[in-house]
Amino acid sequence: MAEMAIFNALKHNYNVAYLLPLRSIAFEKYRSLSSVFGKDNVMLSVGDYHSPQLGDKRILIATYERMDSILRHEPEWLEDLGVVVVDEIHYVGEPERGPTLETVVTQLKMEGVQLLGLSATVGNLEEIAQWLEADLVYDDWRPVELREGVMDSKKYEVLFEDGVERVEKVTGNAALDAAYKYLKEGQVLYFAPTRNKAEKVAEEFSKYFKPDSESKEWADKIRLEVEGEFGEKIAKLVERRVAFHHAGLTNEARMIIEDGFRAGVIRLIAATPTLAAGVNLPAKTVIIEKYTRYNKDLGISEPISVSEYKQMAGRAGRPGMDKVGISVLIAKDNAKEVFEKYVKGEPEPVKSSLDSPRALRKVILGLITRRIVRSEEELEDFISKTLFGITMGTQDAMEASKEALRFLINMGAVAPSLAPTRLGSLISKLYVDPYGAKVVRDALRRRAGKAHVLGYLHLISMTPDMPKRSVYAKEFKKLRRIAYEREYELIVKDHEDLELWASALKVALVLEDWINEVPDDVIAERHKVYPGDVRVFSDTASWLLHAYSELCKFLGMKRHAEELGKLEVRMKYGVREELVSLVKLPYIGRVRARKLWEAGIRGPEDILQKRDLVAKIIGRKVAEKVIDAMLGGVRS
């Protein structure tokens, strides 16, 4: 349906935007649409929050956030935009991405752009169609038939709609034994409840397969891209045709694992549920170990939603390879009850997540700076057309919106007339939460002269845009001690929300280790984080350092602007300043860069002139790849 809409738009000389929630899915869609419409017609825009540069291609593939950024910068390309395809539209209910998606869709709807929303897991289809002002088209066709079952872990039987299948008891663990059974029929995706469990499952199944030349080749790809003990751990599993997959992986490791699975080399992936929503990676069989998840805030295990179950089960069945896909959900002795709830159940209604103060601050400032809203009446009109306004009622939705508006006026981002100030326009283009901008502005105004690195990192980690980490009792004592010993370095020395303050300090210490070239394995052990987590923190910090450097320039705080700008470059690569020219090169991570530096290799020219020495330091295979890539161009 999406391809038909795109074809029709191109036929009438309109541009098309295809929106997706995650970069990983966007890359897949880029490959898919390029094969249908040609690479000359398709462009991908999933970068950071800097000003987007769009070319003259007719089809744009972008994440929800990237499309929002594009709308804020108003490039000429938008003038010919006729159709927008919104894939995975159920993400409108997701707290992080939902508000952006809801705002983008509402704005496009008001501008008369044709919208096509796609989802397989929406319970309130009519309500979503009403919001989109669209006709509802329902189709339960699947390219591969899905056979859903629930396993009774006491009886060792899998209950399907058409009968029961026995599972041989091999390990005594029902989920593992189900995976053993169905591995004989093809690849398996095993959904585990935690990262640690996913890794243990992969290690268990590594005993099941033997390495071969092909799997060793894929393992070497991991070693090339992922340095340190963590990379070696993944590589050894891939050698044995298994892998784990969770948010703690680096992007490079994740892509190699996914490609290895698609190529059929990796036979089993043990993953956390984020994989179900994050990437199109079908398998012959899906095993779902648990239908409950631990809620750390409440301290109890809660049943997962039917929607989440459907997302995981829906990964069973490989188009073009399988006639039938199989999903098996593990239950105790209540298989029939679980079958009725999850296999026969309908997805829950999708609700708006635009009701949080953080979401409303950002959204309303964007509407005002783009002059979509010029008065309270126009704000009410816009809110009434959102899913938030439709489901909550315009009056109640406006009460929450007015509170956010008062905050924006009081901080000087919006004038009482609802005209955007220069400050508000800058904050909107930088894409940061206005509250975060106020926190940074007020703190740095009180700080005469430049601050220490830890102080800057802790300050940006206090803002709502930075992901947070839970702080346990033992860690809290340690953090208070560090804060006492290094108090002179901190800008925010105390805070009424001690949990937020401590969490921000924990993140800041991770970031400090990252830019000081502390090895990934040491960071992981010291702070109990994965390399992938560190990359999320560092990527976010790099963006925030850029944004607040620009904010400081605007406010005339030159020293702070300069220091934040220097930190941005170091944060991007995780190095001290002297290594920046080396880590910009392909295949040269911070570990290899430091080894080269210590051997007297200072930059690209040295690498080309001292090739034998480079090969001795980082290995001939890696050195050859570096030089080949250099001769073809340096990474930006």
Side-chain angles (χ1 to χ4, degrees):
M1 185 176 287
E3 290 179 6
M4 288 193 299
I6 294 170
F7 178 81
N8 191 52
L10 297 179
K11 182 180 176 183
H12 291 90
N13 293 315
Y14 286 115
N15 290 338
V16 178
Y18 197 112
L19 309 184
L20 297 130
L22 303 170
R23 292 186 182 198
S24 54
I25 311 177
F27 280 111
E28 283 186 39
K29 186 56 64 176
Y30 172 73
R31 288 193 290 265
S32 170
L33 293 185
S34 293
S35 67
V36 175
F37 297 99
K39 282 190 175 182
D40 292 341
N41 287 314
V42 185
M43 59 181 161
L44 180 68
S45 184
V46 293
D48 55 26
Y49 300 100
H50 296 169
S51 179
Q53 301 297 318
L54 299 183
D56 55 1
K57 297 182 180 181
R58 307 305 302 274
I59 303 170
L60 166 69
I61 298 168
T63 56
Y64 304 149
E65 291 82 5
R66 191 58 170 168
M67 189 64 190
D68 189 37
S69 181
I70 288 167
L71 289 171
R72 288 169 190 251
H73 287 88
E74 300 178 328
E76 288 184 12
W77 188 89
L78 290 174
E79 294 175 7
D80 295 318
L81 180 62
V83 172
V84 174
V85 179
V86 185
D87 210 344
E88 310 284 358
I89 200 165
H90 53 269
Y91 266 82
V92 72
E94 201 264 338
E96 286 298 317
R97 294 183 172 87
T100 299
L101 173 59
E102 186 170 346
T103 307
V104 166
V105 168
T106 302
Q107 181 182 341
L108 292 168
K109 176 181 71 172
M110 293 178 71
E111 292 177 1
V113 175
Q114 184 180 19
L115 295 168
L116 173 61
L118 303 173
S119 177
T121 54
V122 172
N124 52 334
L125 291 166
E126 292 80 7
E127 209 164 42
I128 298 298
Q130 178 190 351
W131 167 49
L132 295 175
E133 297 177 6
D135 294 325
L136 176 59
V137 179
Y138 178 81
D139 188 358
D140 60 2
W141 175 84
R142 277 178 54 95
V144 179
E145 179 189 342
L146 176 59
R147 193 163 176 248
E148 297 175 78
V150 175
M151 180 176 175
D152 185 319
S153 60
K154 299 284 179 66
K155 295 180 179 179
Y156 259 63
E157 292 177 345
V158 183
L159 173 65
F160 292 101
E161 186 76 51
D162 57 356
V164 173
E165 287 187 6
R166 289 284 304 165
V167 175
E168 182 184 354
K169 187 174 285 191
V170 178
T171 68
N173 180 298
L176 295 180
D177 289 343
Y180 276 118
K181 170 182 172 64
Y182 291 105
L183 262 172
K184 297 170 186 175
E185 300 180 22
Q187 290 172 298
V188 169
L189 270 182
Y190 184 112
F191 285 108
T194 66
R195 296 181 185 184
N196 187 47
K197 187 61 187 290
E199 293 181 20
K200 286 183 177 178
V201 169
E203 287 165 6
E204 171 66 29
F205 280 96
S206 68
K207 306 168 189 173
Y208 189 76
F209 298 104
K210 293 182 179 179
D212 59 23
S213 58
E214 192 176 25
S215 66
K216 287 179 179 178
E217 186 179 324
W218 282 85
D220 285 342
K221 292 181 181 181
I222 292 284
R223 292 186 177 100
L224 180 66
E225 292 286 356
V226 186
E227 300 171 330
E229 290 179 17
F230 190 64
E232 186 59 30
K233 177 180 180 178
I234 301 166
K236 284 180 177 177
L237 291 171
V238 170
E239 270 188 2
R240 290 184 169 271
R241 303 168 74 90
V242 299
F244 57 84
H245 189 296
H246 55 57
L249 292 175
T250 61
N251 287 332
E252 294 83 3
R254 193 178 298 129
M255 289 174 67
I256 293 168
I257 288 168
E258 290 167 5
D259 288 343
F261 194 76
R262 291 190 189 97
V265 177
I266 296 174
R267 302 287 294 160
L268 177 142
I269 289 181
T272 50
T274 51
L275 174 62
V279 69
N280 180 25
L281 203 65
K284 168 67 178 178
T285 302
V286 165
I287 305 293
I288 305 169
E289 183 185 306
K290 279 190 171 183
Y291 59 88
T292 58
R293 180 139 320 115
Y294 183 72
N295 184 325
K296 63 183 179 183
D297 294 327
L298 299 177
I300 58 173
S301 290
E302 297 179 313
I304 63 172
S305 66
V306 176
S307 296
E308 187 175 342
Y309 161 75
K310 295 291 185 185
Q311 284 284 345
M312 291 187 281
R315 298 301 173 199
R318 299 162 296 181
M321 297 177 69
D322 301 319
K323 289 184 179 179
V324 178
I326 299 168
S327 74
V328 178
L329 175 60
I330 310 300
K332 293 183 180 178
D333 54 0
N334 56 341
K336 289 184 179 179
E337 178 186 327
V338 173
F339 190 94
E340 287 295 323
K341 177 174 180 178
Y342 288 103
V343 176
K344 291 192 171 182
E346 293 294 327
E348 294 81 5
V350 173
K351 298 179 181 178
S352 170
S353 53
L354 194 57
D355 56 352
S356 75
R358 179 188 173 198
L360 286 170
R361 287 192 299 263
K362 205 167 181 179
V363 163
I364 292 171
L365 180 60
L367 294 172
I368 290 171
T369 57
R370 299 205 300 273
R371 308 309 284 144
I372 295 168
V373 163
R374 297 168 184 264
S375 64
E376 280 198 19
E377 291 73 25
E378 289 183 353
L379 177 59
E380 183 172 342
D381 181 52
F382 186 93
I383 293 296
S384 72
K385 290 180 171 62
T386 61
L387 182 62
F388 175 47
I390 290 170
T391 55
M392 188 174 182
T394 303
Q395 185 174 351
D396 289 341
M398 270 303 292
E399 282 301 314
S401 301
K402 285 178 181 178
E403 185 66 31
L405 182 59
R406 281 191 288 271
F407 173 86
L408 295 171
I409 291 172
N410 290 337
M411 75 164 288
V414 173
S417 64
L418 263 61
T421 63
R422 289 176 61 216
L423 173 64
S425 295
L426 176 64
I427 292 170
S428 180
K429 285 192 175 180
L430 293 173
Y431 213 73
V432 294
D433 185 326
Y435 178 80
K438 182 180 184 301
V439 167
V440 172
R441 179 194 67 181
D442 294 351
L444 292 182
R445 275 180 171 170
R446 292 192 296 268
R447 180 82 178 203
K450 73 175 186 178
H452 293 270
V453 168
L454 181 63
Y456 285 126
L457 298 180
H458 183 228
L459 177 59
I460 65 166
S461 298
M462 291 284 296
T463 66
D465 292 309
M466 178 63 80
K468 303 298 185 288
R469 296 290 295 186
S470 298
V471 176
Y472 303 103
K474 287 183 179 179
E475 288 182 302
F476 189 81
K477 290 180 181 177
K478 178 184 174 184
L479 290 168
R480 290 294 282 181
R481 177 178 55 77
I482 292 172
Y484 176 76
E485 292 171 353
R486 303 179 65 180
E487 184 181 12
Y488 67 96
E489 298 179 58
L490 297 177
I491 297 171
V492 183
K493 300 182 188 300
D494 214 335
H495 196 270
E496 59 185 15
D497 187 340
L498 280 178
E499 188 175 347
L500 169 64
W501 179 90
S503 175
L505 182 56
K506 181 176 179 176
V507 172
L509 291 168
V510 171
L511 294 173
E512 183 183 47
D513 278 353
W514 168 250
I515 62 173
N516 285 337
E517 300 175 36
V518 174
D520 286 355
D521 301 326
V522 176
I523 295 176
E525 178 61 30
R526 184 180 291 171
H527 303 288
K528 307 303 180 211
V529 293
Y530 283 89
D533 298 321
V534 178
R535 299 305 187 276
V536 170
F537 291 140
S538 61
D539 287 348
T540 306
S542 182
W543 154 50
L544 292 176
L545 288 165
H546 167 80
Y548 292 128
S549 175
E550 293 297 310
L551 179 65
C552 287
K553 284 180 193 173
F554 172 80
L555 295 171
M557 295 189 282
K558 186 178 178 182
R559 292 290 296 279
H560 289 311
E562 289 174 354
E563 294 304 313
L564 290 168
K566 289 177 186 176
L567 278 175
E568 179 198 355
V569 178
R570 291 181 60 193
M571 189 63 66
K572 183 175 181 180
Y573 299 108
V575 295
R576 298 180 186 275
E577 287 184 56
E578 67 265 24
L579 294 191
V580 170
S581 63
L582 282 171
V583 289
K584 284 185 176 181
L585 298 171
Y587 306 107
I588 300 293
R590 57 207 207 109
V591 175
R592 289 173 183 145
R594 178 52 64 188
K595 288 179 179 177
L596 290 169
W597 178 272
E598 290 175 351
I601 308 295
R602 298 292 190 253
E605 299 80 10
D606 289 341
I607 287 178
L608 294 175
Q609 291 170 10
K610 302 175 183 179
R611 299 187 186 195
D612 289 340
L613 177 58
V614 171
K616 186 178 179 180
I617 296 166
I618 63 175
R620 188 158 299 279
K621 281 186 179 179
V622 177
E624 287 173 357
K625 282 189 170 289
V626 171
I627 292 166
D628 287 346
M630 281 177 63
L631 296 176
V634 176
R635 290 185 293 187
S636 61

